[in-house]
């Protein structure tokens, strides 16, 4: 079994608190200085927000990767996302990318052509530091990201599916040519606005056609192949308000959920609750 029994027991404890109606208060901004400063480690820095609740157990977390030109500090200004996650007992860890060129915009090194930092090792170092300083449970961390952050999540999940408990991408998948295959299986939730013009569902060219954003549905096909799904037809299809949803249940730790919402290039207002519901319901079903 891919996830250890100890991990499952801690996860179910958190689920039990949520289902029993125990109230978890809102965010407590934390940091490594008197003014919630960035936490500095050798490889870079990160910001963190903690649930404002007293508990003896280690804290589950969502690591959120910002988009192109962003920062960890700016990511935590998304109050709907941060309050939604911390209100349900999750810490939010927001690392900061490095500039691709000196003095240029920050972004993640998800393609070999980009060079730069080993992001996978950086994320591990962030979690090691957060575990020591804030009692983060390294075994119960979801890696998520928006736009360029979602590209980073996709490539890391493809190469190292066991590095995080689950993965959640918003408005980003692979670039073309996408990987021919991925290690697996994985648990993935992908969210996308069907009016997104920055990362269209069908993809687009960038940089005088030097780069091409991939087709989101082609990426989902790769994930279904990775998870060994018997069919590409979804296990379940339904609508929920302005959302269209698809779900593929393909075995232990091998589930995919697609959420299409009425909107453009953004993190939806209720995304935090969608994410927690998906992860916790998925964990309960296995």
């Amino acid at each position: 079994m891919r996830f250890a029994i100890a991990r499952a027991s801690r996860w179910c404890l958190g689920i039990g608190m949520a289902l029993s109606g125990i109230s978890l208060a809102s965010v407590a901004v934390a940091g490594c200085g008197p003014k919630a400063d960035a936490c500095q480690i050798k490889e870079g820095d990160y910001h963190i927000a903690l649930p404002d609740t007293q508990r003896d157990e280690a804290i589950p977390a969502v690591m959120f990767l910002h988009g192109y030109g962003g920062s960890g500090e700016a990511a935590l200004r998304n109050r709907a996302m941060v309050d939604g996650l911390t209100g349900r007992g999750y810490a939010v860890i927001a690392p900061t990318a490095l500039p691709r060129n000196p003095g240029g915009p920050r972004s993640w090194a998800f393609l070999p052509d980009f060079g730069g930092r080993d992001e996978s090792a950086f994320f591990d170092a962030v979690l090691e530091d957060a575990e020591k300083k804030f009692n983060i449970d390294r075994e119960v961390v979801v890696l998520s990201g928006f736009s360029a952050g979602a590209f980073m999540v996709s490539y890391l999940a493809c190469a190292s599916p066991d590095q995080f408990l689950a993965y959640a991408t918003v408005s980003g998948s692979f670039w073309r040519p996408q990987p021919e295959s991925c290690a697996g299986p994985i648990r993935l939730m992908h969210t996308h606005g069907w009016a997104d013009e920055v990362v269209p569902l069908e993809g687009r060219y960038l940089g005088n056609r030097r780069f091409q954003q991939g087709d989101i549905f082609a990426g989902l096909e790769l994930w279904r192949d990775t998870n060994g799904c018997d069919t590409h037809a979804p296990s379940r299809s339904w609508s929920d308000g302005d959302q269209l949803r698809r779900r593929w249940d393909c075995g232990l730790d091998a589930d995919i959920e697609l959420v299409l919402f009425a909107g453009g290039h953004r993190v939806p207002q209720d995304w935090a609750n969608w994410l927690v519901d998906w992860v916790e319901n998925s964990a309960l079903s296995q």
Side-chain angles (χ1 to χ4, degrees):
M1 180 177 292
R2 183 172 162 212
F3 299 118
I5 294 175
R7 173 185 295 188
S9 64
R10 289 194 296 271
W11 187 256
C12 290
L13 177 61
I15 295 172
M17 291 176 65
L19 296 180
S20 65
I22 296 175
S23 177
L24 295 174
S26 62
V27 62
V29 177
C32 295
K35 297 181 180 180
D37 299 327
C39 297
Q40 301 284 343
I41 59 176
K42 178 182 177 181
E43 297 82 358
D45 67 68
Y46 68 94
H47 286 75
I48 188 167
L50 298 173
D52 187 15
T53 182
Q54 297 294 323
R55 53 188 293 178
D56 296 329
E57 300 82 17
I59 304 169
V62 172
M63 179 180 285
F64 185 85
L65 308 184
H66 61 76
Y68 180 78
S71 68
E73 181 180 17
L76 292 191
R77 296 190 195 123
N78 184 336
R79 301 313 310 169
M81 178 186 75
V82 173
D83 291 347
L85 291 170
T86 57
R88 295 187 65 172
Y90 292 76
V92 183
I93 303 171
T96 296
L98 297 177
R100 197 164 293 163
N101 299 301
R106 290 180 288 263
S107 194
W108 304 100
F110 53 85
L111 290 180
D113 290 349
F114 294 164
R117 182 173 61 190
D118 181 339
E119 306 289 27
S120 176
F122 170 54
F123 300 150
D124 270 346
V126 167
L127 290 182
E128 182 178 359
D129 192 70
E131 181 183 34
K132 294 175 182 177
K133 289 185 171 73
F134 305 104
N135 196 28
I136 297 300
D137 190 341
R138 293 186 64 185
E139 298 298 312
V140 189
V141 180
V142 178
L143 181 66
S144 64
F146 169 69
S147 194
F151 295 137
M152 183 70 247
V153 172
S154 299
Y155 283 95
L156 187 145
C158 181
S160 304
D162 287 328
Q163 189 166 346
F164 290 85
L165 175 72
Y167 298 88
T169 47
V170 183
S171 302
S173 180
F174 295 106
W175 285 22
R176 287 194 183 277
Q178 72 179 25
E180 294 183 1
S181 63
C182 292
I186 67 158
R187 298 168 61 195
L188 173 77
M189 175 176 142
H190 180 76
T191 305
H192 216 109
W194 60 66
D196 193 334
E197 296 181 354
V198 178
V199 183
L201 287 164
E202 301 80 8
R204 66 175 178 134
Y205 284 103
L206 297 171
N208 294 321
R209 301 177 72 90
R210 182 184 175 194
F211 302 109
Q212 185 181 7
Q213 294 169 347
D215 185 298
I216 299 302
F217 296 102
L220 289 169
E221 183 176 10
L222 173 59
W223 287 127
R224 292 193 294 271
D225 289 340
T226 297
N227 279 359
C229 299
D230 293 332
T231 174
H232 287 291
S235 308
R236 183 187 174 201
S237 302
W238 73 103
S239 60
D240 186 358
D242 67 353
Q243 307 149 46
L244 297 176
R245 292 182 176 239
R246 301 288 185 272
R247 184 175 176 85
W248 293 266
D249 292 307
C250 300
L252 183 65
D253 302 321
D255 57 86
I256 304 164
E257 188 155 317
L258 169 65
V259 183
L260 294 176
F261 67 93
H265 194 65
R266 60 182 175 86
V267 179
Q269 184 81 6
D270 294 328
W271 177 79
N273 279 322
W274 302 346
L275 174 64
V276 175
D277 288 345
W278 168 71
V279 174
E280 294 189 350
N281 290 338
S282 176
L284 281 173
S285 68
Q286 297 181 6

